[in-house]
Amino acid sequence: MPHTTSAIFGTMRSEVKIIELSARQQRIIAIVRDRGTVTGEHIAEELSLTRATLRSDLAILTMAGILDARPRVGYFYVGDQASNFGCEMIGKYLVKDYKSVPVVVQEHTTVYDAIVTMFLEDVGTLFVVREQGILIGVASRKDLLKVAIGQSDLHEVPISLAMTRMPNITTITLDASMYDAAKKLIETQVDSLPVVKPGPDQAVEVVGRVTKTTITRLFVELGSARTV
Ligand code: ADP
């Protein structure tokens, strides 16, 4: 990420301090980034500064994790690690390792039975499948409530009339990161994503689910791992 005017210092756990970078510090970053590795003398020369003047800037930039110094080699650019840290970290956690078991029903299941399944399985979203777990729809609590407040007989209406259908379903794959899954949940404003793998004839097979709860659980797991 390019630096503009600020750098983030991680200080104590949970405390993050943002400092403004001076124009000179930004020029130093630009020199080091362009050159690969460069000595303090070279930077001082290029900016017509004394080594003493430069020293405090280099100290700040190395403490911020923007530059690093190798003895007898010089300074090199490592980037804004503090702000990249969260992104890199969460990108390592994969859907295949955190997904939960999907709760599925067949397309001819009645809305009444679907509601019962939601209660029994304690889920807010059902995935509707045909043979071999091929995904054909998603039914949320509100989809079922809509039918329930209408005049229809819940024992007669099949869930296929209440669900959102393929191809209008946002899915996630096993190798995607939990960050990708969280982003999709937020962007599409839904509670649950079917985890899928390729099935026959461009269809997809449901092999799991990632919900807002799955993301929250991972978040808590990461938080508690830091305190032990
Ligand atoms: P609720 O409606 O209970 O608040 P959601 O926000 O998950 O639950 O669902 C909102 C709407 O989006 C519903 O009509 C549902 O069928 C649909 N929906 C749910 N999950 C998905 C998904 N992964 N892809 C596309 N549509 C979805």
Side-chain angles (χ1 to χ4, degrees), residues 124-125 138-143 146 163-164 168-170 189-194:
T125 310
V138 167
S140 73
R141 276 178 284 224
K142 268 186 238 142
D143 291 333
K146 260 185 243 160
M163 69 190 188
T164 299
N168 300 322
I169 297 178
T170 307
Q189 298 183 16
V190 295
D191 292 347
S192 178
L193 298 177

Side-chain angles (χ1 to χ4, degrees), residues 147-195:
V147 181
I149 60 171
Q151 300 299 314
S152 345
D153 180 352
L154 303 187
H155 292 278
E156 295 296 329
V157 182
I159 193 154
S160 53
L161 292 185
M163 69 190 188
T164 299
R165 282 185 171 276
M166 281 295 263
N168 300 322
I169 297 178
T170 307
T171 60
I172 190 90
T173 55
L174 288 161
D175 287 328
S177 73
M178 289 298 278
Y179 175 75
D180 293 331
K183 203 156 164 260
K184 280 189 173 188
L185 285 168
I186 293 296
E187 282 170 2
T188 54
Q189 298 183 16
V190 295
D191 292 347
S192 178
L193 298 177
V195 180

